[in-house]
Amino acid sequence: MSMIAQATRTAPQLLLHLNRHLSSSSSSAATSSEPPDGHGHQLITPAELLGAESQSRCMEKMRSLPSFPRPKALTPSRREKQTSAVLIALCQERGTNEISLLYTRRSRHLRSHSLQISFPGGRLDDQDASYVDCALRETEEEIGLPPHRIQVWGEANQLILPRTSSIVPVVGVVPDFSISELRLNWAEVEEAFNVPLNALIVPQATRHTQFRSGYSGPVFVVDRHRIWGITGYLTHLFLHCLLPPSQLPDCLRTNIKFIRPFKLPPKLPHHREHAATDPSMRT
């Protein structure tokens, strides 16, 4: 049920293609007006984020994401035949109406990707009538949030990932939310937490990770939480779809160079090899 797939050698094409798609969509509709808060982004209100216009714009972009067929040169994997769905939940905090995104940290007892941050979700089962059903079922199983608490906006285009299951993000709103209402399945989830949307769109939170395979990806660091990998990229992707171009902060508007050269330092000779070539080491 892992939602954080490790990058493979075709990940650069995937990330670069998606980033170009987001950049072109944002730049075509961006305005030159100065954001009113003076810090690179406009003040975001719940009415603007959760209104019908925002929902329509966000889901139109999510459904227009390009597809990525597996390159013929890449060896197929059995996991590519599997499909997963995750819930990207916009939570409206009880008492404050502040909007946040809901994340989980995978249990330390899981065999793969333990303690890594992800969105609630899992693999599509035969009992699931749709990707929405899958995301809602897995969310209830993992954190005890029942389907009737989630106002579903819709599902995004399927993201085809090499060497792992494809992912369908499902977007929903949880009104009057309190983290205390969750009931965690400790066998699968270590913790659940929500991150205010405004905390994700400030320069202090937006970073990137350089991978040895030759690409870098978006990372969000808020307090003690480091959101990276596929979850970090889904967060980056969703914020581009949710926010109007005029409200997109510079720290997200920057074109991250996903393809970057990476050179390992020269390998030091083994001490035995050194002894064989160094006359002073001979007896």
Side-chain angles (χ1 to χ4, degrees), residues 118-220:
S118 65
F119 288 111
R123 291 179 184 170
L124 186 72
D125 288 346
D126 294 337
Q127 69 188 71
D128 298 320
S130 65
Y131 295 118
V132 171
D133 287 347
C134 174
L136 297 184
R137 173 184 58 78
E138 287 284 349
T139 297
E140 185 172 24
E141 290 179 2
E142 291 180 356
I143 60 177
L145 187 65
H148 73 266
R149 289 284 288 116
I150 304 167
Q151 300 173 359
V152 177
W153 277 10
E155 60 187 49
N157 195 17
Q158 186 176 9
L159 296 178
I160 308 297
L161 304 173
R163 306 285 301 170
T164 188
S165 60
S166 59
I167 297 178
V168 176
V170 174
V171 182
V173 175
V174 185
D176 193 32
F177 176 76
S178 173
I179 198 74
S180 62
E181 69 181 286
L182 303 182
R183 298 294 180 266
L184 305 188
N185 178 355
W186 299 109
E188 298 187 23
V189 176
E190 189 84 6
E191 68 169 324
F193 60 94
N194 51 322
V195 179
L197 208 64
N198 282 319
L200 291 168
I201 60 175
V202 294
Q204 297 90 332
T206 54
R207 306 180 188 181
H208 75 275
T209 293
Q210 174 77 56
F211 291 91
R212 288 175 178 251
S213 56
Y215 77 97
S216 56
V219 177
F220 297 86

Side-chain angles (χ1 to χ4, degrees), residues 225-245:
H225 301 297
R226 183 174 183 267
I227 304 165
W228 68 291
I230 294 299
T231 305
Y233 194 76
L234 285 176
T235 301
H236 176 84
L237 177 82
F238 178 68
L239 292 175
H240 270 260
C241 294
L242 176 68
L243 301 177

